[in-house]
Amino acid sequence: MKKIAALCLVLVLSGFLANVCFSQNEAFHIELLPAKKGAVLAFSGKKHSFTVHIASDSIKTTDVPTYFTIDNQILQISCVAVPNGADLGNYNKDQQKTTLDSYADYELEYFQKELKISIKNLKREWVIIQNRLYLIWQYDVPAQKIGKLKGEELKQQITHQIFLSAIMHDQILDLNTPMFNANDPVKARKLLDDIAGSLKIFDKELDIPALAKTLE
């Protein structure tokens, strides 16, 4: 499993991302809390917090706090710091679209120029989930030389990648999943939609131990 997670890191991580979600104004502490039906991923900051629910009986963690394997589907849930601490929370819909489009453009350029990933059939779609605007962007990854990672031959080829991105306070919430040949794209999209639909927002720091008890 570590090999798959490591491959995912190579193909997904950008220069913005880190183990702790942060921006100029606020840092989030991340905790995965077991629940009766799956788990709750909590992002707790001093002024703002949020949670998402992952509904699955098979949730495996990796060495990176925001990476998981859900029923053999790799999943990343992360925040992206926006330069200069922009007050994204007060942006109107058009401003949000401009910001999210620019974010996707930046990431795509990074993937292609820095990670040398070929991208084809790029698609973008705007959707509203629980009154929040999301940019869905996805693309195919043509067959290419997989190579080696840490001395091990990589056995799987990523064929497609889906992202759901939304404004979250002064940051960008990003849900994404890479797909291999064995993965079902409909199931993968539903996983992201369900997680986005479970989003709960709090204008305070979370009491993680108290929250954990309510999920028992």
Side-chain angles (χ1 to χ4, degrees), residues 3-11 115-118 141-160 179-181:
K3 185 189 296 184
I4 296 176
L7 174 60
C8 183
L9 286 175
V10 171
L11 293 181
L115 300 184
K116 307 301 181 183
I117 299 171
S118 296
V141 181
Q144 54 195 299
K145 184 178 180 181
I146 300 177
K148 293 184 177 181
L149 183 65
K150 295 183 179 179
E152 296 186 30
E153 193 73 27
L154 298 173
K155 303 298 183 182
Q156 299 197 56
Q157 168 72 53
I158 289 179
T159 59
H160 192 77
M179 282 176 284
F180 301 93
N181 286 324

Side-chain angles (χ1 to χ4, degrees), residues 125-129 132-136 164 189 193:
E125 176 187 359
W126 296 103
V127 298
I128 301 294
I129 302 176
R132 186 169 297 271
L133 178 68
Y134 284 83
L135 171 61
I136 301 175
L164 266 69
R189 171 64 186 272
D193 286 347

Side-chain angles (χ1 to χ4, degrees), residues 2-133:
K2 287 185 178 180
K3 185 189 296 184
I4 296 176
L7 174 60
C8 183
L9 286 175
V10 171
L11 293 181
V12 181
L13 276 178
S14 79
F16 279 122
L17 303 182
N19 289 351
V20 176
C21 295
F22 68 94
S23 73
Q24 181 176 338
N25 299 322
E26 190 163 22
F28 288 131
H29 173 70
I30 306 169
E31 285 280 349
L32 183 68
L33 307 173
K36 293 179 180 178
K37 294 182 179 180
V40 168
L41 187 64
F43 291 74
S44 181
K46 294 298 182 181
K47 297 180 179 180
H48 306 98
S49 303
F50 65 93
T51 64
V52 291
H53 180 242
I54 304 171
S56 173
D57 294 327
S58 177
I59 302 175
K60 297 179 181 179
T61 59
T62 70
D63 295 335
V64 180
T66 56
Y67 272 86
F68 312 92
T69 303
I70 314 298
D71 297 322
N72 295 318
Q73 180 72 53
I74 296 174
L75 169 72
Q76 183 191 23
I77 304 174
S78 60
C79 295
V80 181
V82 176
N84 303 320
D87 188 11
L88 304 183
N90 290 323
Y91 277 15
N92 61 35
K93 185 175 293 185
D94 288 339
Q95 290 173 316
Q96 290 183 48
K97 286 185 174 182
T98 298
T99 300
L100 292 171
D101 264 331
S102 296
Y103 162 67
D105 288 342
Y106 177 92
E107 296 289 42
L108 289 165
E109 182 178 10
Y110 178 83
F111 298 157
Q112 294 177 92
K113 291 187 176 180
E114 300 297 326
L115 300 184
K116 307 301 181 183
I117 299 171
S118 296
I119 291 174
K120 288 190 175 181
N121 302 322
L122 175 65
K123 297 179 182 178
R124 304 190 194 207
E125 176 187 359
W126 296 103
V127 298
I128 301 294
I129 302 176
Q130 296 284 49
N131 296 319
R132 186 169 297 271
L133 178 68

